[in-house]
Amino acid sequence: MANHVQVNSSSFEYSNGVIVLSDKFRPDNPIKVDLKKLWLPATPFSNVEPIANNLRLSAFLLDVAALFCIRRKNTKSAAGDVARHIRTIAKFIEFLYVEGIYDPSECDRATIRVLLSKLTAGGWSEALRIYERTEKSLQQIGSSETRRIALQPGVRVGVRVGDRIKRLLGTNCSGSETAAAREAILDVVHQDRPRRSPVDKPRQLTSSALLAIFSTINLTSDLADGRGLAFLPFPNPSLLANKHGRPDGRTRNLRPEDVGALLAECFSWIYRLAGPLAELLNTLAFEMVARRPENSGARAALAASVLTTSVAARTFEAESGLRIRNIRVRHSQAQTECTLSEAIDCVLSACFIVISFFNARRKDEVQHPVIGLKDNSLRAFDEGLGLYVCSFYLEKFTKDYREFFVNDATVAAMKVLQSFSEIERKLSGDDGGLSGRSLFRVPTLRAKFPLTRRMFEFNRSRSAKRLLQRAFGESEEGLSYAPHMGRRAYGLIMIHRFSEPSLLALSQQYDHHGLDATNIYLSDASRGNTLEQLEGFGRLRTPPAEVIEDLEAAIDEVSRERLKEIVDVILRGEQSMQGRFPVFVNRLHDRIAARLKYDDADLRDSSTVVAEALLAKGHKVVAFRHGDCCASAVRSSAARCSRGSGRPRRERASPQVCATCAFHSRSLIHVQAMTLGVAHLRQQLSGLPVGCKPWKQLCAEIRDLEQAIAESQRPSWST
């Protein structure tokens, strides 16, 4: 039946009840969502059945998925986001069924209010009445059958909510959302167990989780021909989410001494231990390629022989205090022992931490197999000066590659990764050379040839555990370290060292689109990150008064020089100046011409006199996107944006207002800059969902600039 659903989308394929979402970054590994495993609860008229069996609801779900694909930019997470939206819509359909509504178009505002209250109280588990439905279903099948399908053998309280339980309930919940089902199972099987109290109910959802749910359900109101909701379910979803959700968790701060301990351990692996380890790997790789051991036993014997005779192995042990026992063993190691796999993971973890910390990068921007660092990401900008740049993919806002200057530690880490990548290339038999391959490919050194590989992934409890233990011991810092903590610590230490004059540079490094985001990133008291907690990094403070005064003086000086330049261009008449300010300057020149001498051929002196007269009246240059405002802050009743207030209100400026203002000036270079600005804004616009607030703001800015460019084509007012 599912094959008869019509799909009007080129973003995914639908066949036999399965949605196949193509992934631009992993074309060989698409994401699949099986509608035969998404359920509709039992009703008074039907039993539990898959959504795939209901053609009307399948079409509804596919329409919403197609709509989201249209509005979503093709990023590394696009396919996964669509899959999450599909599952959210499946839960919304399940909620409607629980409330006795079997057609989404019949949903009313009262039902949405019920959904809002339930989601606020306990998430989908509460909205879908998981506990009550589970209790009722289990009573029907009996405790013995419940024990057989849900309880794990040998574990009295171990409950697994698998596909059979989900099918029994007709629910699409998963993970922590099924906690209520586990409680209900235990209450049915163990009658002497204390019943669950209201305190034990699921915690309130975070504001970001609520926002994702609200935004997804809002898509159902945009379907054409009455196939979706007839109204917008959640107006202002962001405000609703912040009002009803609990604040999102924040990555906690690292103390300066913790940062020092971690970086010291990382530097040890990069600068001292990576060399002998790479030499040992090269020796072992040469022997394995030459002898080709037939099984794991022969491989282990060969590895033991190399480890015994290798000078590099002895150097590594002397420098690190760790003796490499074997390639890989399953039982635990002593504190003075490690496996070759553990040593490799320590080196790669050290490189990952150094690169992510010193460049304030996110985890996937460094190690993702597709968008992460490649063999050709690092290039020399000026080898004589020791300057290098590295190309990073900025995944959250820019969604493209950008080059950043990197420090010596980053360069050293990148070169270590390149040397290990070269070893992996030789072992895997890849003779294609360096062609944009991921730097985090790890050789497995198995007996089978060509040798298989694995992709390294930083994980504090697995791959990076040994490194963090050496840096922190068993302290809480080591056990809780996450990559984002380094990204935060980078900003805090930078602020501490430079006293906040480089906040704009820090925002650019973070790839934030505004300083507000950077300020919140550094300090947000409502989320438990107060100034007192940052005491170890120095207080976040404004620059001293003398710094502010010096900066303002520099800005005034630049404004004076710019005004003199504009006046000189107007009086020469060599360039076409748009706006009415040239007329104003020429009239002023005529009035004071009797005091001027014209011996100077280039009119430099007369230009200075006119400019000084303007400066005396309080005029100075204030740059806008669409031109330069030269109105006086003291006497500006003629300025169009003042509206007779006696002082310019430049926040009201626009191309329409400025085009008729006597104090407006625009040069040809400014017009060229506006043209480039329009192209840049249109590029940003292409990455935003159509109709969202930032999209509308960019559209308004583009219209203003295009109108200003059109105004510049009118005849010049210069005389």
Side-chain angles (χ1 to χ4, degrees):
M1 295 178 63
N3 288 328
H4 294 88
V5 177
Q6 297 294 324
V7 181
N8 298 318
S9 176
S10 59
S11 302
F12 58 83
E13 298 177 359
Y14 181 67
S15 176
N16 195 28
V18 179
I19 301 175
V20 181
L21 301 164
S22 59
D23 191 333
K24 172 185 176 182
F25 293 95
R26 293 186 177 181
D28 299 331
N29 188 23
I31 295 178
K32 298 180 180 180
V33 181
D34 192 349
L35 300 192
K36 298 189 295 297
K37 294 183 180 180
L38 298 179
W39 304 101
L40 296 173
T43 71
F45 319 103
S46 62
N47 296 321
V48 173
E49 65 174 350
I51 290 180
N53 290 354
N54 189 308
L55 297 182
R56 176 173 50 81
L57 291 179
S58 295
F60 169 77
L61 196 151
L62 292 171
D63 285 342
V64 177
L67 184 60
F68 180 74
C69 288
I70 293 173
R71 298 184 178 182
R72 179 70 174 177
K73 187 177 180 180
N74 192 11
T75 63
K76 77 174 183 66
S77 58
D81 287 342
V82 175
R84 285 188 289 273
H85 277 257
I86 292 172
R87 296 187 177 96
T88 298
I89 294 298
K91 294 172 189 174
F92 178 61
I93 295 172
E94 181 184 343
F95 165 77
L96 295 179
Y97 262 58
V98 171
E99 297 296 321
I101 300 174
Y102 309 119
D103 187 341
S105 62
E106 297 177 359
C107 177
D108 55 16
R109 297 183 187 275
T111 304
I112 292 298
R113 286 195 292 270
V114 172
L115 176 60
L116 176 60
S117 64
K118 296 287 188 180
L119 287 174
T120 302
W124 284 114
S125 179
E126 196 72 21
L128 302 178
R129 306 178 190 176
I130 296 299
Y131 185 89
E132 294 83 353
R133 289 165 58 194
T134 305
E135 188 177 40
K136 181 178 179 180
S137 298
L138 297 182
Q139 287 173 351
Q140 294 175 354
I141 66 174
S143 60
S144 60
E145 180 67 11
T146 300
R147 184 186 300 276
R148 188 178 68 83
I149 66 176
L151 295 186
Q152 298 177 3
V155 182
R156 183 176 183 272
V157 295
V159 175
R160 180 175 60 86
V161 181
D163 291 339
R164 294 186 64 181
I165 294 293
K166 293 180 182 179
R167 181 174 182 178
L168 176 68
L169 300 177
T171 186
N172 301 297
C173 288
S174 59
S176 60
E177 297 169 345
T178 62
R182 287 192 290 272
E183 289 289 337
I185 292 171
L186 290 173
D187 288 342
V188 170
V189 175
H190 306 296
Q191 297 294 333
D192 57 338
R193 180 178 179 271
R195 302 283 289 185
R196 186 180 69 149
S197 65
V199 180
D200 298 325
K201 288 185 178 181
R203 295 181 64 190
Q204 179 186 14
L205 292 181
T206 63
S207 57
S208 60
L210 282 178
L211 177 60
I213 294 173
F214 295 161
S215 301
T216 301
I217 296 178
N218 277 348
L219 291 175
T220 61
S221 65
D222 288 346
L223 299 181
D225 304 327
R227 296 195 302 271
L229 273 63
F231 61 96
L232 184 66
F234 299 104
N236 298 319
S238 181
L239 294 178
L240 276 176
N242 290 330
K243 178 181 178 180
H244 295 283
R246 59 184 173 87
D248 295 311
R250 289 292 299 264
T251 305
R252 71 181 187 86
N253 299 327
L254 279 172
R255 297 174 300 178
E257 54 267 33
D258 297 330
V259 174
L262 181 60
L263 291 180
E265 183 65 28
C266 292
F267 289 162
S268 174
W269 284 93
I270 292 173
Y271 288 104
R272 294 194 300 114
L273 303 179
L277 186 60
E279 184 179 346
L280 174 61
L281 278 175
N282 270 316
T283 302
L284 186 57
F286 176 81
E287 294 293 335
M288 295 189 74
V289 171
R291 302 186 186 185
R292 295 180 177 265
E294 298 178 354
N295 51 51
S296 59
R299 180 193 61 177
L302 176 59
S305 174
V306 172
L307 290 171
T308 302
T309 59
S310 172
V311 175
R314 292 196 294 271
T315 303
F316 177 85
E317 181 178 355
E319 293 285 345
S320 66
L322 295 173
R323 182 173 67 88
I324 300 177
R325 290 186 53 180
N326 204 335
I327 295 175
R328 182 181 179 186
V329 293
R330 295 187 180 278
H331 57 79
S332 60
Q333 301 288 318
Q335 290 297 323
T336 58
E337 296 178 332
C338 71
T339 65
L340 189 59
S341 294
E342 284 180 323
I344 294 173
D345 281 349
C346 283
V347 171
L348 268 63
S349 296
C351 294
F352 169 82
I353 290 172
V354 165
I355 294 172
S356 61
F357 173 82
F358 281 112
N359 300 280
R361 299 272 57 90
R362 300 177 180 88
K363 181 178 178 180
D364 279 353
E365 293 173 353
V366 177
Q367 66 160 45
H368 190 276
V370 178
I371 67 171
L373 295 176
K374 306 291 193 301
D375 285 318
N376 55 1
S377 295
L378 181 72
R379 71 175 180 86
F381 183 83
D382 189 321
E383 291 188 359
L385 296 176
L387 295 178
Y388 288 82
V389 294
C390 185
S391 178
F392 291 101
Y393 186 90
L394 309 183
E395 64 171 318
K396 194 165 185 180
F397 294 109
T398 302
K399 294 181 174 62
D400 200 356
Y401 288 93
R402 293 290 184 269
E403 286 190 335
F404 291 88
F405 283 99
V406 292
N407 64 355
D408 292 343
T410 301
V411 174
M414 293 281 288
K415 290 183 177 180
V416 167
L417 289 173
Q418 289 172 350
S419 65
F420 277 67
S421 177
E422 179 67 14
I423 296 171
E424 184 276 328
R425 186 182 66 82
K426 293 177 181 178
L427 286 172
S428 62
D430 184 1
D431 296 327
L434 302 180
S435 56
R437 290 159 34 92
S438 171
L439 281 179
F440 288 91
R441 294 172 181 259
V442 184
T444 58
L445 297 174
R446 297 182 184 273
K448 183 178 179 181
F449 284 87
L451 296 174
T452 57
R453 66 176 71 92
R454 64 182 172 91
M455 292 302 302
F456 171 83
E457 180 178 359
F458 181 88
N459 188 297
R460 62 191 176 198
S461 62
R462 290 193 295 274
S463 59
K465 183 177 181 180
R466 197 65 185 270
L467 175 73
L468 296 176
Q469 285 178 338
R470 284 171 62 90
F472 299 117
E474 297 295 336
S475 65
E476 181 183 354
E477 287 75 12
L479 298 177
S480 63
Y481 178 81
H484 221 69
M485 294 170 68
R487 181 173 160 88
R488 285 182 57 94
Y490 169 87
L492 295 172
I493 290 178
M494 183 176 180
I495 290 298
H496 168 62
R497 179 170 183 180
F498 296 107
S499 241
E500 206 177 359
S502 299
L503 194 60
L504 185 62
L506 179 62
S507 180
Q508 185 177 14
Q509 185 78 30
Y510 277 143
D511 189 35
H512 289 161
H513 279 190
L515 294 181
D516 289 342
T518 306
N519 275 321
I520 293 174
Y521 199 89
L522 295 175
S523 177
D524 188 351
S526 66
R527 296 182 178 180
N529 180 26
T530 61
L531 293 180
E532 288 75 14
Q533 290 176 303
L534 308 182
E535 186 176 356
F537 295 93
R539 299 186 60 186
L540 296 179
R541 60 187 184 275
T542 57
E546 57 270 18
V547 175
I548 296 177
E549 293 173 1
D550 183 64
L551 182 61
E552 290 178 346
I555 293 175
D556 287 340
E557 184 63 26
V558 170
S559 175
R560 293 170 64 91
E561 292 298 326
R562 174 60 177 153
L563 183 60
K564 291 180 180 180
E565 178 185 347
I566 292 175
V567 171
D568 190 54
V569 170
I570 293 172
L571 294 183
R572 290 185 188 203
E574 296 177 355
Q575 295 184 17
S576 175
M577 296 291 293
Q578 303 296 328
R580 295 191 176 184
F581 185 67
V583 178
F584 175 76
V585 170
N586 282 310
R587 286 177 179 174
L588 180 61
H589 173 259
D590 292 340
R591 290 181 181 180
I592 61 177
R595 293 187 290 133
L596 300 178
K597 296 181 180 180
Y598 293 94
D599 297 335
D600 189 354
D602 63 1
L603 297 178
R604 189 177 305 278
D605 292 340
S606 59
S607 299
T608 301
V609 171
V610 175
E612 292 294 340
L614 291 171
L615 290 169
K617 292 178 177 294
H619 294 274
K620 68 177 183 178
V621 177
V622 179
F624 290 116
R625 280 188 171 182
H626 49 269
D628 287 327
C629 176
C630 300
S632 168
V634 179
R635 181 173 175 266
S636 57
S637 58
R640 297 294 181 181
C641 58
S642 69
R643 295 187 179 180
S645 65
R647 181 178 294 274
R649 299 291 299 276
R650 296 186 175 96
E651 65 273 12
R652 296 176 178 171
S654 68
Q656 301 95 316
V657 172
C658 294
T660 57
C661 181
F663 302 101
H664 182 239
S665 174
R666 185 188 298 120
S667 64
L668 294 179
I669 295 178
H670 213 135
V671 175
Q672 295 173 4
M674 287 191 292
T675 305
L676 295 175
V678 168
H680 177 68
L681 292 179
R682 288 196 177 280
Q683 183 179 7
Q684 290 184 334
L685 190 69
S686 65
L688 294 174
V690 177
C692 68
K693 186 175 180 180
W695 184 88
K696 294 178 181 178
Q697 291 175 342
L698 282 183
C699 285
E701 292 180 12
I702 291 173
R703 286 195 299 270
D704 277 356
L705 285 178
E706 288 179 338
Q707 183 172 357
I709 294 172
E711 290 285 347
S712 69
Q713 307 302 321
R714 296 183 180 183
S716 173
W717 289 91
S718 300
T719 59

